[in-house]
Amino acid sequence: MVSILQILLLLLDVAQWVIIAHIIMSWLINFQVLNTRQPLVAQLWYGLNRVLEPVYGTVRRILPAMSGIDFAPLIVLLGIYALRIVIINNAASFY
């Protein structure tokens, strides 16, 4: 059972880093440091959007519309942190 919890925590860590990479990449694209006309950048951006948009879309439907500010990545990161805390605090009951 411990290995299942460790695998779940690993998946949460990977999801957290993918979201942080998406946030940083969106900033770099908006500040025109990265150009989406470059094939590698376009593929990475398209892949990250395809992976994260279903999660963000669910959160965006729940959140009220903000003018130009997208809080969906922040809410998803907070959800990952909260889920991680719950798993770690309740891991002792699985031993």
Side-chain angles (χ1 to χ4, degrees), residues 1 4 7 9-11 18 22 24 32-33 35 37 41-42 50 54 62 65 68-69 88-89:
M1 188 55 95
I4 293 174
I7 291 170
L9 289 174
L10 175 69
L11 291 175
V18 167
H22 185 254
I24 291 171
Q32 297 177 354
V33 175
N35 188 356
R37 286 178 280 180
V41 173
R50 294 264 311 192
I62 297 169
I69 300 175
I88 290 173
N89 288 342

Side-chain angles (χ1 to χ4, degrees), residues 42-68:
Q43 286 179 343
L44 282 172
W45 183 244
Y46 179 72
L48 285 174
N49 280 332
R50 294 264 311 192
V51 169
L52 293 173
E53 196 56 42
V55 178
Y56 290 167
T58 306
V59 173
R60 285 182 188 127
R61 274 186 259 132
I62 297 169
L63 290 176
M66 300 287 178
S67 58

